[in-house]
């Protein structure tokens, strides 16, 4: 009768497990950095304990057994019989990883993971010290914390559930010179939430002719309300380089600072902690992140996706309406055009909001990468730590899911090939411990994910030799450094001298690259010999819409993603150069680019010479080069909804997806990089001409 | 033309349509809807019988020129033509035909297996023949008409 209900509860238990594992990892990382306190240990203990409790209710025996033994060890830690030294923390991490594996195994009814016993034995073998305090005193600590929540809740309500932002904004000379106006920025901030703006004028603000043009004012804004940080940065988007800006959360009241001071002393005496705690009661407690979490609801992903589809329909229907209005000849009518414009703004806002529902922080993904670093470095005998930045950056859920494999691959590469063995590092004057940095950030409407290591960089000589040996480049070719680095993305390319079980199995960066392009992203590489390698991945915020240029070619309407377009040029006979019979080059500002007729590339018409007054779109390729595509006309530039093309007839080269235009017609969305990759390979061209 | 009395046990309802001067039909259970002709957006480098894709209320629907698929001259492609939307093997596809002509209810006994026609394109796609008022109606095997997904995906 209630099978569905039990399944629903079970599903939500596993959701909770994921969150608990996440908080477990957070707390362990705090302990690892030495910033943990008693409460951190409690978080670790409680996470494992809650998982055990839930697992017991669902009769998940293996999970209960593992969690129980893990918990027993953690209990020793909590009661100070166990010291949290580096070795213990490393084992705790392994325990947490295995706990996560157990949870996943239980979720999919799979057999429990291997290797659990070894880690448990190692954990249980950790040396115990004699407890400095009786068990009673230890149990007392969590009681105090629990009491704290009662006072806290009221406090938080007064604050409307969020801590205000503190923004300090000092324009420099260039801000006014570039036509920006602080008032407008302040107004847009005030629109985000409840803002209290203070203008700070220097005491010696004398109005003289010489000083009249020097900016002297500073504004301090306290912004309350649930405002994401990215919105704040957006408000200052155009002035970041011409002003001094600091954005931070309002400092916690003094009580929390005091407690933080206490927490710096590891394993402080509980009695002493207790002494400090009572005066802190009305103030926020020392766990800043957990308590400002706004209320959330769990929603089925299907419902969200339905909403996303509906909004997509809305965008199309707006385009159709706009087209019929203009066909009816009433587009000039003020009220009609105003209404349409407001409709468009609303549609875009709804769309952004819906996309934000699908967006998730990259933190769980980054935590998984931390595990990959731990496991890989252990396997290859190196010590490597992972630094992460921008964990709160939000990306579309699907993008995060599909980013996991390529990221894993690159992290393994970085640890296995990038970071040198400890003795080599020491000889090169670097610390024995290698560092891999994983960064996520929003930049210009896209998401940037960067993987940097401080290893040896790329051995360009070896890459070149390998490429020549495999016939990928001519022996006498003189590729630039960037071109050599990009050779790594070619299929089957690996320079690893020894193929280890962790990377370099012939499945190379080409797979990573195609996975990233499949997400509409781009990947680039920068390396500095001896200093390290950095991979930068640029991803679209969403997979549902894109800004595109609508062009006509051979009587067909196609969409070229705006992100791929560098510029457009009007074709004139003077800037076309010919090589041989059919190859044409476009001469732009001293550079020669291959010129392709888009119509011929898509097989819509036979190749022919370019004519004057045609328009050329310069596109950026993944490898950093450019290509020039000839089109007949540019019709529009607008946001289009991405519709998947059925793969029933195989993959169409050069076509990424389709969309529906204002007139209800289907238009193809091109992937210029893919199209050009086909054009450069010599084989297909004659075939398409013959057919 | 359709007689209700024929709709007894062991009868199949079929949607009949014209392709050139021939009449074909498909099992009505696989038909989702019938649409007027819409200009299809061609897909680059697609097989000749794949006419392109159209917008079916927000989803992208591939359209097949059934005449080309069966080795005949292409359907003219104007307002008189229709697209029959069918679902086969979990895929929805549009079939471009000249015109829909009838809905027939044919008793199973009236179906004749097709004679051995060799392995011409059309022969592969015909599962049975039947005569209605001296008109020859060819029953299409949709599974054979539409490309094999597994083979194409590879």
């Amino acid at each position: 009768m209630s099978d569905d209900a039990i399944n629903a509860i079970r599903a939500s238990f596993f959701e909770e497990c994921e969150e608990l594992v996440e908080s477990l990892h957070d707390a362990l990382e705090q302990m690892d950095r030495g910033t943990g306190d008693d409460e951190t240990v409690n978080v670790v203990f409680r996470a494992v304990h809650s998982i055990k409790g839930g697992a017991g209710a669902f009769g998940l025996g293996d999970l209960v057994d593992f969690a129980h033994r893990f918990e027993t060890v953690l209990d020793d830690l909590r009661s100070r019989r166990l010291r949290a030294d580096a070795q213990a923390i490393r084992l705790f991490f392994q325990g947490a990883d295995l706990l996560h594996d157990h949870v996943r195994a239980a979720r999919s009814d799979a057999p429990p993971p291997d290797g659990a016993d070894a880690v448990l034995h190692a954990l249980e073998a950790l040396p115990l010290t004699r407890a400095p305090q009786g068990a009673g005193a230890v149990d007392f600590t969590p009681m105090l914390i629990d009491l704290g929540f009662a006072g806290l809740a009221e406090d938080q309500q007064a604050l409307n559930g969020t801590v205000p932002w503190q923004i300090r904004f000092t324009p420099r000379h260039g801000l006014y010179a570039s036509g920006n106006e602080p008032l407008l920025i302040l107004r847009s901030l005030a629109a985000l939430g409840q803002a209290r703006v203070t203008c700070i004028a220097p005491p010696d603000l004398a109005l003289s002719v010489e000083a009249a043009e020097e900016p002297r004012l500073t504004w301090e804004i306290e912004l309350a309300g649930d405002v994401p940080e990215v919105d704040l940065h957006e408000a200052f988007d155009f002035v970041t380089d011409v002003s001094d800006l600091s954005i931070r959360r309002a400092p916690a009241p003094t009580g929390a600072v005091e407690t933080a001071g206490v927490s710096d002393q590891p394993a402080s005496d509980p009695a002493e902690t207790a002494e400090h705690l009572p005066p802190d009661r009305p103030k926020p407690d020392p766990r800043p992140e957990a308590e400002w979490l706004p209320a959330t609801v769990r929603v089925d992903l299907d419902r969200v996706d339905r909403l996303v589809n509906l909004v997509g329909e809305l965008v199309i229907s707006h385009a159709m309406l706009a087209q019929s209005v203009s066909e009816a000849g009433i587009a000039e009518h003020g009220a009609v055009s105003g209404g349409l414009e407001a409709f468009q703004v609303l549609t875009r806002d709804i769309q952004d909001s819906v996309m934000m529902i699908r967006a998730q922080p990259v933190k769980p993904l980054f935590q998984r990468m931390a595990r990959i670093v731990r496991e890989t470095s252990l396997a290859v005998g190196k010590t490597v730590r992972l630094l992460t930045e921008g964990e709160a950056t939000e990306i579309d859920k699907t993008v995060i899911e599909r980013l996991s494999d390529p990221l894993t691959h690159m992290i393994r590469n970085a640890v296995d090939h990038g970071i040198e063995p400890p003795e080599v590092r020491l000889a090169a004057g670097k610390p024995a411990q290698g560092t891999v940095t994983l960064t996520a950030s929003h930049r210009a409407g896209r998401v940037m994910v960067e993987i940097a290591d401080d290893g040896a960089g790329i051995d360009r000589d070896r890459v070149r030799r390998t490429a020549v040996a495999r016939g990928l480049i001519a022996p006498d070719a003189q590729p630039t450094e960037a071109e050599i680095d990009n050779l790594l993305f070619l299929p089957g390319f690996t320079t690893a001298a020894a193929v280890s079980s962790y990377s370099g199995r012939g499945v190379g960066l080409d797979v990573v690259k195609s996975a990233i392009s499949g997400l509409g992203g781009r990947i680039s590489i920068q390396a500095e010999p001896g200093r390290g390698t950095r991979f930068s991945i640029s991803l679209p915020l969403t997979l549902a819409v894109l800004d595109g240029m609508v062009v006509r070619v051979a009587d067909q309407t196609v969409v070229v993603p705006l992100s791929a377009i560098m510029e457009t040029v009007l074709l004139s006979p003077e800037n076309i150069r010919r090589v041989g019979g059919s190859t044409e080059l476009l001469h732009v500002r001293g550079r020669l680019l291959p010129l392709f007729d888009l119509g011929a590339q898509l097989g819509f018409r036979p190749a022919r010479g370019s004519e004057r007054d045609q328009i050329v779109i310069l596109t950026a390729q993944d490898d950093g080069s450019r290509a020039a595509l000839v089109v007949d006309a540019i019709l529009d530039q607008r946001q289009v909804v991405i519709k998947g093309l059925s793969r029933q007839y195989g993959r169409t080269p050069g076509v990424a997806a389709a969309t529906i235009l204002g007139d209800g017609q289907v238009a193809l969305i091109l992937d210029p990089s893919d199209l050009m990759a086909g054009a450069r390979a010599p084989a297909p061209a004659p075939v398409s001409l013959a057919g | 033309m359709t007689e209700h009395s024929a709709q007894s046990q062991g009868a199949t309802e079929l949607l009949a349509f014209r392709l050139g001067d021939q009449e074909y039909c498909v099992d009505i259970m696989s038909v989702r809807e019938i649409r007027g002709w819409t200009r299809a957006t061609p897909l680059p480098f697609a097989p000749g019988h794949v006419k392109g894709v159209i917008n079916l209320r927000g989803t992208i629907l591939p359209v097949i020129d059934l005449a080309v698929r069966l080795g005949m001259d292409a359907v003219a492609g104007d307002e008189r033509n229709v697209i029959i939307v069918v679902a086969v093997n979990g895929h929805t596809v549009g079939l471009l035909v000249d015109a829909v002509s009838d809905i027939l209810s044919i008793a199973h006994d009236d179906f004749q297996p097709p004679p051995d026609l060799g392995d011409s394109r059309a022969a592969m796609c015909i599962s049975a023949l039947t005569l209605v008022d001296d008109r020859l109606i060819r029953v299409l095997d949709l599974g054979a008409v539409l490309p094999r997904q597994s083979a194409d995906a590879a």
Side-chain angles (χ1 to χ4, degrees), chain A residues 574-638:
Chain A
E574 300 86 67
N575 50 22
I576 302 178
R577 304 277 186 279
R578 287 198 164 72
V579 181
S582 59
T583 309
E584 289 180 329
L585 297 174
L586 179 72
H587 187 227
V588 198
R589 292 189 295 274
R591 289 182 67 179
L592 287 167
L593 305 173
L595 193 60
F596 296 100
D597 178 7
L598 185 57
Q601 287 306 318
L602 291 172
F604 289 157
R605 63 183 174 205
R608 52 172 196 193
S610 305
E611 297 157 18
R612 59 179 305 129
D613 296 339
Q614 277 185 312
I615 291 165
V616 180
I617 293 178
L618 299 186
T619 62
Q621 306 297 117
D622 285 340
D623 55 7
S625 69
R626 293 181 177 196
L629 296 171
V630 181
V631 301
D632 297 343
I634 293 176
L635 303 177
D636 197 0
Q637 186 176 311
R638 51 178 299 234

Side-chain angles (χ1 to χ4, degrees), chain A residues 52 120 147 149 179 183 196 284 286 308 365 368 440 450 535 580 688:
Chain A
K52 183 181 98 170
L120 281 174
L147 275 173
F149 277 114
L183 178 63
R196 198 163 64 218
V308 170
L365 178 67
R368 238 176 300 157
E450 294 190 330
F535 289 94
S688 68

Side-chain angles (χ1 to χ4, degrees), chain A residues 114-415:
Chain A
D114 300 332
D117 262 350
V119 173
L120 281 174
H121 283 310
L123 276 167
E124 283 157 2
L126 286 170
L128 297 186
T129 56
R130 224 162 42 80
Q133 300 287 329
V138 171
D139 281 347
F140 188 56
T141 317
M143 292 274 294
L144 274 174
I145 301 289
D146 284 349
L147 275 173
F149 277 114
L152 234 160
E154 291 164 25
D155 226 26
Q156 283 316 110
Q157 271 170 354
L159 261 171
N160 203 14
T162 51
V163 205
W165 290 100
Q166 281 194 342
I167 304 157
R168 196 181 165 90
F169 170 53
T170 312
R172 290 200 297 263
H173 185 72
L175 185 132
Y176 297 100
S178 57
N180 285 294
E181 168 60 59
L183 178 63
L184 297 179
I185 296 172
L186 295 174
R187 274 191 192 150
S188 69
L189 279 180
L192 292 174
Q194 227 178 344
R196 198 163 64 218
V197 183
T198 322
C199 179
I200 303 172
D204 58 335
L205 184 71
L207 294 178
S208 64
V209 176
E210 303 86 69
E213 292 197 345
E214 274 309 302
R216 302 288 301 272
L217 299 180
T218 292
W219 282 274
E220 273 185 1
I221 305 108
E222 198 171 291
L223 189 66
D226 184 18
V227 185
E229 187 169 356
V230 54
D231 282 3
L232 298 178
H233 283 289
E234 214 161 75
F236 293 100
D237 217 8
F238 296 107
V239 297
T240 39
D241 49 341
V242 286
S243 64
D244 299 314
L245 181 66
S246 87
I247 297 180
R248 58 196 174 97
R249 289 282 188 193
T254 45
V257 175
E258 210 176 301
T259 318
V262 169
S263 69
D264 282 343
Q265 309 158 11
S268 67
D269 188 84
E272 189 194 327
T273 317
E275 234 176 61
H276 277 255
L277 284 175
D280 295 343
R281 286 306 98 213
K283 308 279 167 61
D285 91 337
R287 290 187 305 141
E289 273 168 43
E291 69 207 34
W292 291 315
L293 286 177
T296 54
V297 285
R298 289 211 174 101
V299 184
D300 228 21
L301 195 59
D302 285 349
R303 295 193 193 177
V304 177
D305 285 346
R306 206 178 121 71
L307 200 55
V308 170
N309 285 337
L310 283 173
V311 173
E313 296 305 306
L314 192 63
V315 172
I316 293 168
S317 108
H318 168 263
M320 288 180 172
L321 185 61
Q323 180 141 348
S324 1
V325 162
S326 100
E327 275 165 11
I330 48 172
E332 308 302 313
H333 194 285
V336 171
S337 65
L340 265 182
E341 216 160 277
F343 183 14
Q344 182 170 15
V345 171
L346 277 176
T347 310
R348 215 175 235 264
D349 280 357
I350 295 176
Q351 196 177 353
D352 288 350
S353 312
V354 171
M355 288 308 152
M356 268 163 68
I357 300 180
R358 273 189 63 91
Q360 291 193 323
V362 294
K363 188 172 176 182
L365 178 67
F366 278 17
Q367 280 187 341
R368 238 176 300 157
M369 295 308 129
R371 174 178 186 176
I372 303 290
V373 169
R374 284 196 294 275
E375 288 178 354
T376 312
S377 55
L378 202 65
V380 298
K382 298 174 186 173
T383 50
V384 181
R385 66 183 169 145
L386 179 76
L387 295 183
T388 55
E389 280 170 43
E391 288 182 321
T393 308
E394 294 193 330
I395 317 182
D396 185 275
K397 187 177 161 62
T398 310
V399 179
I400 291 189
E401 278 162 10
R402 285 164 62 186
L403 205 53
S404 175
D405 282 350
L407 220 50
T408 305
H409 194 88
M410 284 192 288
I411 291 275
R412 279 182 181 159
N413 261 345
V415 175

